[in-house]
Amino acid sequence: MKLTLRSLRLKLAVLYTVFALISMVCLGCFSYVYMNYALETSRQVTMQAREERFVRFIETWPEKDKTLSLTEKLDRLSIAIAATDIIQVYELDGTPIYSSPGASAFKVPWPHQPCIERCFGLVRQYGHSIRTLNHVVTMDGRQLRLSLSGKIDEHAEMMENVRNSYLLFCPLLLIASAAGGFVLSDRALRPVRQMTAEARSIGIHDLKRRLPIPNTSDELQVLAETWNELLERLHTAVSRLTQFTEDISHDLGTTITVMLTTASLALHRKRTAEEYRAALRTITTECEATSRLLQDLLAVTRADMVQQHIDMQLVPLSELVCEVADNLRAKANLKHQTLQASIASDAWTMGDPSLLRRMVGILLDNAIKYTPEHGAIAVSITSDLQHIHLKVQDNGIGIAPEALPRIFDRFYRVDPSRTQEEGSSGLGLAIAQWVAGVHGAAITAASTPGNGSEFSVTMPLATEIPSAELISLAAEQ
Ligand code: ADP
């Protein structure tokens, strides 16, 4: 795949680099500040220890030699002590009493604070950094100001080196992490590229192929598995559609052949009126079956495109179901079946009467179709406070448990050998389910092979039931 500015690989690499840059800057600043602080503190601790030692020496001196003045003692002491810090002693009014050798090299300004407690300071003089300690102490029985000061140029130099090395290494590290980020994102997205290439090469004719699943136990693996499940569903749907198209072509071909042959035979020579009627009956039956099939196909297409006009109104479901049952009773009688209706009165629902009629018709028609001669079919309506329960039961051939979850799929027929002759297209229950769906109803099926099936529809009960006058007015119209 081509690398563009919008490519995910590049975006990830840039993000990674920005993150690395921010981390480096934060880490660099923190370690610089911390190192500076540590060096400062250690120097202050050393100065404080030196100051304490100094005062202790002066305080213990008189016991050994009482002839020396304070200045002489200080002089001797500063020779004995390593000359790391310059020692200066002042009267409290600022009059200098003592300055150790080297003090003239720099003049440390007197701090503004009284420095009763120790006060540390940092002074820059003649290009040097000087750390200072001022403290009012008691020496030789007097209160004096003791001032220690020492160059900390090595510290400044060390910090400068650290800073320079950061400035040198940070860009190098940044380049390395940018390259690393790019390589890592490139590797991480390799399975996506493979999947994309594979998905691109899968056409409608090879839906059996599957995407490679990276064994990474991460989101990419889930994505590949999800795509494969989608392909599986697509494959099933396309196979069913192909099968259905073949079946339909075959059925329509058979119908047209039957009609053509019947008509040709009838026209071949002069026939009796009864023979003509028989030929026309055959043609009519074929036409009816074909028309039913075309209606089903149209209903499915419309449902798909959500173009179906749904005319929601208060519907007397009890009446509607009785009407459909009455219409189909003749068909059941042809097979010597009994069709019993046990309908609670006043079951009103909000819906489209023609769609509801179609749904009930499909369920009853199936019950008749899939129940052998002399079977029994029952349709019932009950209601509770919120719902209407419509049940269509039969003691027909039943549905195998493995087929039961699929009967609402489009074009699914448990026994594909049933032909258009029986009006079997595999679309009826799909339409019924769609009708139930648009009415906020749920449709379920239960069945025992050999014992029969039961289809239940649970629909919302209409909240407003029209008054008796309105019902009779509607009946008159
Ligand atoms: P068809 O046009 O084939 O009847 P349907 O979608 O209405 O299509 O039904 C799908 C399949 O479910 C049918 O092919 C049939 O095998 C099964 N089926 C539906 N209703 C019943 C029933 N009452 N008894 C037994 N099988 C049924």
Side-chain angles (χ1 to χ4, degrees):
M1 204 182 286
K2 232 170 66 190
L3 188 68
T4 62
L5 271 182
R6 285 167 172 268
S7 130
L8 197 55
R9 270 182 294 168
L10 205 63
K11 280 185 195 164
L12 281 176
V14 170
L15 271 179
Y16 183 77
T17 313
V18 170
F19 183 71
L21 178 68
I22 294 171
S23 314
M24 269 183 237
V25 169
C26 290
L27 189 72
C29 290
F30 174 76
S31 47
Y32 184 84
V33 170
Y34 184 76
M35 197 180 277
N36 201 16
Y37 170 78
L39 286 173
E40 240 171 52
T41 315
S42 86
R43 184 64 197 253
Q44 283 176 3
V45 168
T46 320
M47 281 177 112
Q48 185 178 333
R50 200 164 284 156
E51 180 233 81
E52 280 166 0
R53 217 164 53 224
F54 197 85
V55 174
R56 217 172 29 249
F57 274 143
I58 296 291
E59 284 305 298
T60 51
W61 199 287
E63 288 166 22
K64 300 172 201 160
D65 189 350
K66 294 190 193 309
T67 57
L68 291 178
S69 71
L70 176 64
T71 319
E72 283 166 330
K73 279 188 233 169
L74 288 169
D75 221 7
R76 291 197 183 175
L77 228 164
S78 68
I79 292 165
I81 288 177
T84 335
D85 293 323
I86 286 164
I87 303 153
Q88 288 161 302
V89 180
Y90 300 86
E91 292 286 0
L92 287 187
D93 60 3
T95 315
I97 296 179
Y98 173 77
S99 281
S100 67
S104 54
F106 47 86
K107 211 174 172 56
V108 178
W110 190 249
H112 297 297
Q113 306 105 296
C115 292
I116 307 291
E117 293 302 322
R118 279 181 198 92
C119 45
F120 292 96
L122 181 69
V123 180
R124 285 199 67 82
Q125 223 171 51
Y126 313 122
H128 298 289
S129 301
I130 299 157
R131 167 81 41 217
T132 62
L133 163 61
N134 285 281
H135 193 191
V136 173
V137 292
T138 310
M139 282 196 291
D140 234 13
R142 282 194 286 161
Q143 287 239 303
L144 299 167
R145 288 192 183 202
L146 176 63
S147 167
L148 297 183
S149 41
K151 288 185 195 162
I152 51 163
D153 287 344
E154 335 74 78
H155 290 183
E157 208 175 303
M158 197 186 289
M159 291 316 295
E160 198 177 314
N161 286 344
V162 168
R163 195 181 57 223
N164 288 345
S165 51
Y166 273 146
L167 291 178
L168 178 74
F169 280 112
C170 270
L172 293 178
L173 274 175
L174 206 62
I175 292 169
S177 55
F182 186 78
V183 171
L184 280 182
S185 56
D186 187 67
R187 278 187 65 176
L189 292 174
R190 194 174 297 156
V192 176
R193 283 201 301 282
Q194 282 168 354
M195 275 191 260
T196 313
E198 192 69 23
R200 275 202 177 132
S201 67
I202 296 177
I204 195 81
H205 297 298
D206 44 9
L207 285 173
K208 267 192 194 147
R209 274 173 56 192
R210 295 289 172 262
L211 300 184
I213 295 183
N215 193 15
T216 44
S217 312
D218 59 5
E219 289 84 353
L220 287 181
Q221 184 171 349
V222 177
L223 180 71
E225 283 166 358
T226 312
W227 270 103
N228 282 347
E229 281 162 22
L230 179 74
L231 281 172
E232 181 64 46
R233 287 200 295 275
L234 216 59
H235 179 231
T236 314
V238 169
S239 320
R240 212 177 291 156
L241 201 61
T242 314
Q243 179 65 46
F244 177 73
T245 314
E246 280 170 18
D247 291 353
I248 292 276
S249 312
H250 178 257
D251 288 351
L252 288 179
T254 315
T255 308
I256 290 168
T257 315
V258 170
M259 287 197 288
L260 261 179
T261 323
T262 314
S264 308
L265 275 175
L267 293 172
H268 191 63
R269 60 178 167 82
K270 209 163 183 282
R271 308 265 170 188
T272 62
E274 189 44 47
E275 282 172 329
Y276 281 130
R277 256 201 297 278
L280 283 174
R281 258 199 306 275
T282 310
I283 292 173
T284 311
T285 311
E286 293 297 326
C287 282
E288 273 171 5
T290 312
S291 154
R292 211 167 33 236
L293 176 65
L294 291 178
Q295 270 175 26
D296 281 356
L297 280 174
L298 207 62
V300 167
T301 319
R302 280 184 179 156
D304 257 356
M305 303 177 80
V306 200
Q307 273 179 357
Q308 177 94 24
H309 174 65
I310 298 165
D311 183 17
M312 286 293 193
Q313 51 181 269
L314 264 176
V315 181
L317 197 68
S318 315
E319 261 177 49
L320 185 143
V321 173
C322 283
E323 208 178 288
V324 179
D326 287 345
N327 290 345
L328 285 167
R329 194 158 277 118
K331 192 172 177 182
N333 287 344
L334 280 178
K335 290 177 85 176
H336 310 289
Q337 294 165 334
T338 55
L339 200 169
Q340 273 186 349
S342 147
I343 313 286
S345 59
D346 280 353
W348 290 76
T349 189
M350 280 301 288
D352 182 319
S354 65
L355 289 180
L356 290 173
R357 210 168 277 128
R358 195 175 179 86
M359 178 184 77
V360 178
I362 288 168
L363 297 180
L364 276 174
D365 189 50
N366 276 353
I368 296 170
K369 235 171 12 182
Y370 299 107
T371 302
E373 291 200 348
H374 303 286
I377 293 145
V379 53
S380 69
I381 284 193
T382 52
S383 63
D384 55 31
L385 284 179
Q386 287 178 326
H387 296 104
I388 301 174
H389 305 280
L390 164 72
K391 277 193 174 49
V392 176
Q393 290 164 298
D394 64 61
N395 61 355
I397 57 172
I399 305 163
E402 63 276 11
L404 207 53
R406 300 181 61 192
I407 53 171
F408 292 99
D409 290 356
R410 282 174 189 182
F411 309 122
Y412 181 76
R413 289 180 290 180
V414 175
D415 177 7
S417 66
R418 282 178 182 268
T419 59
Q420 190 187 345
E421 212 176 309
E422 296 175 60
S424 177
S425 61
L427 288 173
L429 286 180
I431 296 172
Q433 195 182 42
W434 173 74
V435 174
V438 296
H439 285 84
I443 182 165
T444 53
S447 182
T448 319
N451 273 347
S453 315
E454 177 181 300
F455 286 82
S456 311
V457 184
T458 307
M459 321 192 53
L461 188 72
T463 42
E464 284 173 44
I465 296 179
S467 62
E469 293 86 60
L470 273 178
I471 298 170
S472 59
L473 207 70
E476 278 167 28
Q477 281 172 357

